[in-house]
Amino acid sequence: TRKMQMIFQDPYASLNPFFTVGEIIAEGLELHKLCANAKERRERVYELLNMVGLSKEHANRFPHEFSGGQRQRVGIARALALNPEFIVCDEPISALDVSIQAQVVNMLMKFQRELGLTYLFIAHDLSMVRHIADETAVMYLGTMVEYGPTEEVYGHPAHPYTQGLLSAVPVADPDYEKTHHRIPMEGEVPSPIDPKPGCRFCGRCPRATEQCRTQTPAPKDLSGGHFAACHHLD
């Protein structure tokens, strides 16, 4: 729908190689008849390119003529074209060079403020999630194990999986790293196609009991909208 758009992980595979950048961005405008004529549509494409840091001259080029960061900017412009309220960002920076990632994230946050957007930001980079997200959900094998305000989840992780993830985040402090305790995750990841009964993390959890292997834990409200699904919460 017009109200929901998506920014994909691979900025090359998600762009039609047979279309120019202008045609890619204008496709949604044309389908939803948001512009009165071709001239108005073209001006809107130029406006969107300028918003993401590209120029109107780029409209006549094809995706293979751009760098990875520029392609992702095109993908962002396409997502913004229909004036959505909600955008799913599926690993939008993982395929980009580290030097470009911060530029793209800062641009997304700028649009969030200026356009009143809501993002569902899917990522494995925990530091980036903390930087961009107001609320965080932690998933394991397709199941949400913890959810809440970002600072609460990061400051007081309750689920063993969340605790293990956060303990593995490197910190640029040699003294801290010398004394920092990491929580190892042993065992094997169960089959996502045919998961066993009970808690899906129990095969790797140091706290697991027979109850964990037979009963699926229900989310518990810890405080202020901070939920975790575990039988053995402190």
Side-chain angles (χ1 to χ4, degrees), residues 156-191:
H156 305 91
H159 195 279
Y161 180 60
T162 309
Q163 294 170 354
L165 284 178
L166 294 179
S167 77
V169 177
V171 177
D173 183 342
D175 295 330
Y176 175 82
E177 286 294 321
K178 288 178 182 177
T179 59
H180 177 54
H181 173 65
R182 285 186 168 80
I183 303 173
M185 294 189 189
E186 300 176 350
E188 296 183 2
V189 179
S191 169

Side-chain angles (χ1 to χ4, degrees), residues 35-194:
C35 299
N37 50 53
K39 180 181 178 182
E40 185 177 325
R41 190 161 56 245
R42 184 168 59 250
E43 291 301 320
R44 175 60 174 158
V45 169
Y46 293 162
E47 178 187 4
L48 289 161
L49 286 171
N50 183 64
M51 286 174 62
V52 298
L54 299 174
S55 66
K56 65 180 184 179
E57 286 75 20
H58 289 118
N60 296 320
R61 299 183 186 177
F62 289 87
H64 72 270
E65 299 179 74
F66 293 86
S67 67
Q70 289 175 322
R71 290 174 195 147
Q72 194 62 296
R73 289 172 187 267
V74 173
I76 294 171
R78 177 178 58 183
L80 295 175
L82 303 183
N83 296 316
E85 297 176 1
F86 177 70
I87 298 180
V88 178
C89 303
D90 181 14
E91 297 268 12
I93 61 171
S94 62
L96 306 179
D97 291 338
V98 175
S99 59
I100 305 299
Q101 290 181 358
Q103 297 177 20
V104 173
V105 167
N106 289 336
M107 182 169 58
L108 288 172
M109 296 180 71
K110 174 174 175 284
F111 292 145
Q112 184 183 33
R113 292 190 302 269
E114 295 178 353
L115 305 177
L117 296 170
T118 298
Y119 294 136
L120 173 59
F121 197 90
I122 303 168
H124 289 92
D125 187 334
L126 300 180
S127 299
M128 190 60 67
V129 171
R130 188 171 194 173
H131 177 66
I132 199 172
D134 297 314
E135 297 182 340
T136 297
V138 181
M139 298 189 71
Y140 182 79
L141 213 69
T143 300
M144 190 181 299
V145 297
E146 189 160 354
Y147 171 83
T150 296
E151 287 307 313
E152 187 66 24
V153 171
Y154 278 72
H156 305 91
H159 195 279
Y161 180 60
T162 309
Q163 294 170 354
L165 284 178
L166 294 179
S167 77
V169 177
V171 177
D173 183 342
D175 295 330
Y176 175 82
E177 286 294 321
K178 288 178 182 177
T179 59
H180 177 54
H181 173 65
R182 285 186 168 80
I183 303 173
M185 294 189 189
E186 300 176 350
E188 296 183 2
V189 179
S191 169
I193 300 176
D194 185 24

